[in-house]
Amino acid sequence: MFEFREEPGEGTGAVAAAPLTVLSVDDDQAFQQSLRLALSDFRFNDSPLRLLTASSAAEAEALLADHPDVSAILLDVVMETDDAGLRLVRAVREQLGNSEVRIVLVTGQPGMAPMQQTLEQLDISDYWLKTDLYRERLRGIVTGTLRTWREIRALGRAKRGLQQIVQAGRQLAGLRDLGEFSRHVLLELAELLEVPPDGLLCVRVDQRDAPPASARLVGAAGRFAPLAMRPLQDIDDPMIRDLLLEALTRRTAIGTPSSQVLFFDGGGLAPQAAVYLATERSLDEEEHELLRVFATHANAGLVSVDLAARLDQVAYQDGLLGIPNGNALQRELELVLAEPHPRERSLLVVDLDQYTHVSLALGPEQGDLLLKDMARRLHQVYPPPCLVARLHEGTFGVLGPSAALAVDPVAALEQGDGEHVLPFLGVDAVRVDLDEYRGAARGAVAAGLTLLRKLRAGGAHGLVEYRAEAEAENRARFLESRALYQAVREDRITIELQPQVSLEDGAIVGAEVLARWNEDGVPVPPARFIPIAEASGLIVPLGQRVIEQACGALRAMAQAGFPDVPVSVNVSPLQLRRREFAEELVELLGRHGIAPHRLEIEITEGAVMSDYQAGREMLARLRRLGFPIAVDDFGTGYSSLRYVHSLPVTRLKLDRHFTAEIGAGGAESSVADMIIALGRRLDLGVVAEGVETRSQAEWLRTHGCSCGQGYLFARPEPLEAFIARLRAAPLAG
Ligand code: C2E
Ligand code: CA
Ligand code: CA
């Protein structure tokens, strides 16, 4: 797997090995001199010897601190003091923490020999009398000592190297990004070989038969850093480029006296990779062994990075368009929203309504072409750093600097650039200023989509801006709908009754039943909670409870001696739309023993008109069953006058705005006049709502309106108060 190559052009022959350093510490100058002579042409294997000398323990300590590469020390035991030598050994082992350097003690006095125990403790290799050290023996001792040193150092290095590799392997396996991965490989490799991080990682993205020359550089360190992400061909140095190419082509690692090239085969799954590392020296056998282990780990890391990248692609890319998808946009949004204000970033949600129609009418291929065109155009209008993502169907999201997103997508897209498959029609968009937006990332896209739906539901078209207040209002409504749900479930919705009075004689002729909700003792106005109930569907169970309580009220009134006074209930179109509504109503009245003519159904004019056909059928059915039906808020919907004759209704309730206009003078009172006349012509009763003054009541009476409801007569009140009022009132005549 590894092969070694000599530097081209430098000729053959042995490469000079690095010298080995030996330190002699002795205050005896004569001994130092003879030592130098004895070792003058000494070589260990191929390495020459460098001899350092010190004449005191203090001097030696300073030298050792500067030269951690000293392999062996020949040390005189007795110098400044009797134990100066042993103290130095302690300093080397314990303070300098150098456990690899070999130490040979020498002494002139046989009596000064240290104890065997001390020798072992301090890891002293040998102990010699100077008189025994003739030339050949000295050279033998140095050779043996250096051999031991080399073995110990190799063991230490292998151990450290393996620890490093295990650690690096663990880290590499956790990386998900190829760029980051390659940076780590280079750094770890440099550290392992104790060389400066000066290298390149190149990857051959294996599109099967793509030539190795098409590989690109994904990582670069040191002097190569500017080459990151460039093609392999951009390396100026032909030697480095060729080495990388050769490693990729021959699928092998290559060593030279100044560099090392590793090869990773990617396990046959991931792309193949090669690393070039400038070592400026040749590596020894142990280092090659370490590199083999390292390569295995790095290869596993490469496979996992590649797998992560491919998973990423599946999870974060739109399959059809090859652009980021909703998840990717979400991920970016999270990063942006984690930043402090001002973020100066915006989100656009752009929808091409036409997509669905085109797909249905012209086939899915045409729909796909339209989408591709849309993506291309969006990239054009919002170039990087804007992120264009497809969310679903014809809906796209664009995230980018607010300044770039100031361009109106509706105008830009519908105008086109003349290269379209089809012209873009029906583009709608919502812009969310992310400095304005408060909430989680998921909510931002959802808020955009909701606004888009609202825009469409309202029949509008174009670009709308997201407003935080609208969002806050939505949130408040959501919280209220939950509280209302609880209230309905716990049966805390009550009713009040507001009398309807004959304008002729002041007799009470009926009452309107109105829903009431107190939350924490505070009344919530129906104008607030009824729309929420309508929007959430809660109006159905709520309305049901109101009708049940109205039946209870009718029974109580009958028991109190007023069996003929009817009441009206407000019924929402959502209630009417349920097929079983009429049956349930009949069943309920039967249970309470109440005749249908005593329960008037009030339905707002707008509601009847918007759901014209279905609503009319249900009304007709209720009418046939004997229920009186009133059109509430009459006059506020413009179509009413034209259609009212065909509706199966019995009464019109003049909206209180028209009542309010009475007495204010001017031509406005003619609306009330007209409605009263219409009622008379169609033989429908008319009730005037919101009668607050005597003059209004008087005007209504003289214009032929026989019935009124309003604060002038009574405010809505609980059942007991209403029954008391019935008892006190003049009898209907
Ligand atoms: P509405 O059906 O038009 O009910 C009449 C509203 O006018 C009541 O308001 C009543 O208190 C108020 N009103 C009565 N006399 C006067 C007056 O002289 N001046 C003024 N300015 N207002 C007067 P409330 O109770 O707040 O109800 C508001 C609306 O809530 C009702 O309008 C009705 O549309 C809806 N609502 C109330 N209860 C129910 C219910 O049980 N079901 C349904 N679907 N809607 C209900
Ligand atoms: Ca009403
Ligand atoms: Ca009304």
Side-chain angles (χ1 to χ4, degrees):
M1 189 173 168
F2 277 84
E3 63 178 55
F4 189 79
R5 158 109 31 106
E6 268 141 27
E7 210 84 270
E10 277 193 6
T12 49
V15 183
L20 294 171
T21 311
V22 171
L23 170 65
S24 161
V25 189
D26 207 311
D27 52 1
D28 175 353
Q29 292 308 313
F31 178 75
Q32 293 273 39
Q33 191 51 40
S34 63
L35 197 69
R36 191 175 291 284
L37 275 173
L39 294 175
S40 61
D41 58 347
F42 179 87
R43 292 187 87 80
F44 176 73
N45 293 354
D46 281 330
S47 304
L49 195 74
R50 180 164 67 133
L51 187 67
L52 300 176
T53 54
S55 53
S56 70
E59 193 188 335
E61 211 178 317
L63 253 171
L64 281 167
D66 287 346
H67 297 269
D69 57 335
V70 171
S71 313
I73 306 172
L74 298 173
L75 178 62
D76 188 10
V77 182
V78 182
M79 289 179 292
E80 305 99 296
T81 58
D82 282 358
D83 63 347
L86 284 181
R87 270 177 195 263
L88 176 65
V89 178
R90 281 216 167 77
V92 168
R93 295 285 187 240
E94 285 154 22
Q95 275 144 45
L96 294 177
N98 187 340
S99 58
E100 286 176 1
V101 65
R102 295 297 87 204
I103 297 168
V104 177
L105 289 184
V106 291
T107 182
Q109 299 120 297
M112 295 311 288
M115 307 287 288
Q116 184 63 29
Q117 204 190 347
T118 313
L119 294 181
E120 276 167 18
Q121 232 173 37
L122 294 175
D123 189 16
I124 291 166
S125 311
D126 236 339
Y127 175 77
W128 289 94
L129 279 174
K130 283 182 183 173
T131 47
D132 291 342
L133 290 178
Y134 52 91
R135 179 182 152 101
E136 286 317 311
R137 180 168 276 169
L138 177 68
R139 290 171 76 107
I141 291 168
V142 172
T143 301
T145 305
L146 287 176
R147 188 175 296 129
T148 316
W149 168 78
R150 201 184 58 181
E151 276 158 15
I152 286 178
R153 191 199 53 150
L155 273 176
R157 206 164 59 166
K159 192 173 136 210
R160 279 196 305 277
L162 285 173
Q163 276 170 351
Q164 230 176 39
I165 289 170
V166 167
Q167 236 165 29
R170 217 177 278 143
Q171 244 206 337
L172 290 177
L175 294 177
R176 316 200 85 218
D177 169 77
L178 193 55
E180 207 185 343
F181 171 81
S182 40
R183 207 166 47 81
H184 272 266
V185 164
L186 290 170
L187 293 181
E188 300 289 355
L189 207 49
E191 202 177 310
L192 189 66
L193 300 178
E194 292 170 350
V195 300
D198 206 18
L200 284 165
L201 175 71
C202 81
V203 167
R204 175 184 177 191
V205 181
D206 209 356
Q207 283 152 332
R208 275 307 135 209
D209 296 318
S214 67
R216 65 199 168 90
L217 303 165
V218 291
R223 74 192 135 117
F224 299 113
L227 284 172
M229 302 320 290
R230 304 262 293 277
L232 174 63
Q233 295 302 327
D234 281 10
I235 303 175
D236 298 333
D237 188 329
M239 203 186 76
I240 298 174
R241 191 179 58 224
D242 292 349
L243 272 173
L244 279 168
L245 264 177
E246 191 178 340
L248 285 173
T249 311
R250 297 186 35 223
R251 311 172 59 90
T252 182
I254 305 169
T256 81
S258 65
S259 65
Q260 182 61 49
V261 179
L262 295 184
F263 173 74
F264 308 120
D265 69 359
L269 300 163
Q272 296 157 9
V275 180
Y276 171 89
L277 192 72
T279 55
E280 305 307 342
R281 64 178 170 81
S282 55
L283 306 180
D284 59 27
E285 193 37 47
E286 304 139 30
E287 287 175 320
H288 278 138
E289 191 46 52
L290 288 180
L291 285 184
R292 265 188 278 276
V293 182
F294 178 83
T296 313
H297 279 267
N299 204 26
L302 190 66
V303 173
S304 95
V305 165
D306 183 61
L307 191 66
R310 277 187 289 166
L311 284 176
D312 206 73
Q313 210 173 45
V314 172
Y316 294 103
Q317 224 181 57
D318 182 78
L320 172 68
L321 301 178
I323 65 171
N325 63 10
N327 292 337
L329 185 77
Q330 202 64 42
R331 192 167 55 170
E332 284 308 306
L333 257 175
E334 269 158 26
L335 292 179
V336 172
L337 291 176
E339 286 173 23
H341 286 260
R343 300 160 179 148
E344 287 166 359
R345 236 75 58 82
S346 293
L347 168 74
L348 266 178
V349 178
V350 187
D351 184 69
L352 185 62
D353 196 24
Q354 184 188 7
Y355 169 69
T356 320
H357 310 309
V358 167
S359 296
L360 286 176
L362 305 176
E365 293 82 8
Q366 197 65 34
D368 291 354
L369 280 179
L370 189 68
L371 285 186
K372 284 179 184 155
D373 210 20
M374 172 88 165
R376 180 184 62 79
R377 188 75 181 114
L378 278 172
H379 279 121
Q380 239 172 49
V381 179
Y382 304 105
C386 295
L387 173 85
V388 176
R390 180 180 178 214
L391 303 179
H392 49 73
E393 299 277 286
T395 314
F396 291 75
V398 185
L399 179 66
S402 297
L405 267 58
V407 181
D408 180 345
V410 180
L413 289 167
E414 291 195 345
Q415 191 177 50
D417 65 351
E419 286 179 33
H420 299 296
V421 184
L422 293 170
F424 293 123
L425 302 170
V427 180
D428 292 309
V430 174
R431 184 160 41 213
V432 184
D433 181 340
L434 294 174
D435 280 322
E436 172 93 355
Y437 176 76
R438 322 228 173 293
R442 202 149 284 287
V445 175
L449 292 173
T450 307
L451 274 178
L452 209 56
R453 259 202 307 275
K454 267 194 190 161
L455 178 80
R456 290 257 167 79
H461 164 65
L463 171 70
V464 284
E465 301 283 346
Y466 162 91
R467 286 181 312 113
E469 313 89 71
E471 188 71 6
E473 167 66 14
N474 279 349
R475 174 124 197 96
R477 284 168 64 101
F478 170 70
L479 290 177
E480 256 175 71
S481 76
R482 283 212 307 208
L484 183 60
Y485 172 77
Q486 282 298 328
V488 172
R489 237 177 56 149
E490 292 161 12
D491 204 10
R492 287 191 277 112
I493 301 297
T494 57
I495 59 163
E496 283 187 339
L497 297 100
Q498 186 180 33
Q500 292 173 345
V501 173
S502 160
L503 293 175
E504 299 297 335
D505 56 13
I508 296 171
V509 294
E512 178 175 2
V513 174
L514 293 157
R516 293 292 177 258
W517 175 29
N518 286 316
E519 193 61 13
D520 300 326
V522 183
V524 183
R528 170 94 197 153
F529 74 79
I530 293 294
I532 292 175
E534 300 255 10
S536 60
L538 279 173
I539 193 70
V540 173
L542 187 153
Q544 181 66 19
R545 277 302 293 145
V546 168
I547 296 173
E548 280 166 19
Q549 291 180 64
C551 290
L554 285 170
R555 265 221 326 231
M557 283 152 62
Q559 272 164 17
F562 306 95
D564 299 319
V565 180
V567 300
S568 349
V569 288
N570 294 283
V571 172
S572 148
L574 278 180
Q575 289 171 275
L576 276 190
R577 210 173 289 163
R578 295 177 60 247
R579 295 181 178 283
E580 49 284 48
F581 181 71
E583 281 72 45
E584 284 174 6
L585 206 55
V586 170
E587 194 272 331
L588 182 66
L589 263 68
R591 213 174 339 127
H592 284 86
I594 293 164
H597 74 264
R598 287 189 67 204
L599 189 74
E600 186 180 53
I601 309 284
E602 279 188 22
I603 173 102
T604 60
E605 180 192 346
V608 186
M609 291 304 162
S610 67
D611 201 1
Y612 193 57
Q613 196 50 38
R616 201 163 69 155
E617 274 162 25
M618 179 53 83
L619 289 181
R621 210 152 127 220
L622 290 169
R623 189 68 209 100
R624 282 197 301 275
L625 288 166
F627 293 97
I629 295 169
V631 183
D632 206 349
D633 305 341
F634 193 73
T636 51
Y638 68 98
S639 53
S640 54
L641 301 180
R642 263 168 65 197
Y643 290 108
V644 73
H645 70 275
S646 62
L647 288 174
V649 298
T650 44
R651 280 218 289 188
L652 303 179
K653 291 194 81 175
L654 175 69
D655 189 77
R656 66 168 166 276
H657 292 103
F658 303 119
T659 307
E661 281 157 3
I662 297 170
E668 243 53 67
S669 57
S670 62
V671 175
D673 208 0
M674 204 165 65
I675 289 172
I676 295 166
L678 181 74
R680 195 179 307 122
R681 189 149 57 81
L682 297 174
D683 202 18
L684 301 173
V686 175
V687 194
E689 288 190 287
V691 182
E692 295 183 353
T693 65
R694 291 216 167 275
S695 64
Q696 286 167 348
E698 191 52 25
W699 188 96
L700 287 161
R701 190 184 63 80
T702 54
H703 283 75
C705 175
S706 58
C707 185
Q709 179 184 344
Y711 296 166
L712 173 65
F713 312 110
R715 294 195 170 242
E717 59 198 4
L719 177 63
E720 302 70 45
F722 177 68
I723 289 179
R725 185 183 298 278
L726 282 176
R727 290 202 168 107
L731 285 175

